[in-house]
Structures are given as C-alpha cells and as structure tokens.
Amino acid sequence: MFGIGKVGTSLVGPGAITGPGAPTVFAEASIVSTANDTIATHGENKHAAAIVLLPTCSKTVFAMSKPVTMNKQSTGSCLHPVTLGAITVKVGL
C-alpha cells in the first residue's frame, strides 16, 4: 500500500503538485491528487508543463472518477516520482 498523493504538499522531484486534483476529496486536510494534475516548474532545466502520468496512478482507487496518485509509484511526465504522500491514507495499485 502506498500513501495517497496530495495537492500542494506532495512533490514530484522538487516541484509541488499544483492540481486541480479532486477538489471535493480530502486526505490529511489536503485535496487528493489525481492523474493529469499539473506540477510546479522545477529542476535545473526547469521542467515546464509537467503532469502526473495516468498509467502510473492507481488502477483501483478513484476520486471524482479520476485515478489517484500514489507515493513512489506515480510519476510526472518529467519522470520524477511522487513523494511525500499521505502517512495515514493508503492506496492499493
């Protein structure tokens, strides 16, 4: 089981997930991150317009009909993994 990704607090590389996520679904007081969420510009060459890749998100857990992101399993289009997922909310593949 993996921690669920959160908008604003989970990172992809050094860039935060900026959403929109699932605005009506919360984990640890943060909006839950979902597939295709945008990621803040980051890295030495400033990865721009990065998103969380759909195939790397959960196949069984959804928020507002979108697959949720998972700590260390989901990746951005920049190929960095999601980190700092929720400690108390776990997601299966």
Side-chain angles (χ1 to χ4, degrees):
M1 303 286 274
F2 307 95
I4 198 166
K6 304 179 292 178
V7 172
T9 57
S10 290
L11 302 177
V12 176
I17 296 175
T18 57
T24 62
V25 183
F26 293 83
E28 297 178 348
S30 294
I31 294 172
V32 167
S33 172
T34 59
N36 298 319
D37 274 357
T38 58
I39 302 163
T41 302
H42 63 279
E44 284 184 28
N45 60 353
K46 297 294 181 198
H47 300 302
I51 61 167
V52 178
L53 296 173
L54 172 64
T56 64
C57 294
S58 179
K59 311 280 186 278
T60 59
V61 181
F62 298 83
M64 295 181 64
S65 302
K66 298 183 283 188
V68 300
T69 61
M70 301 176 292
N71 190 50
K72 298 182 182 177
Q73 292 298 112
S74 298
T75 60
S77 54
C78 56
L79 303 181
H80 290 130
V82 172
T83 58
L84 301 179
I87 295 170
T88 61
V89 182
K90 302 297 182 186
V91 176
L93 293 174

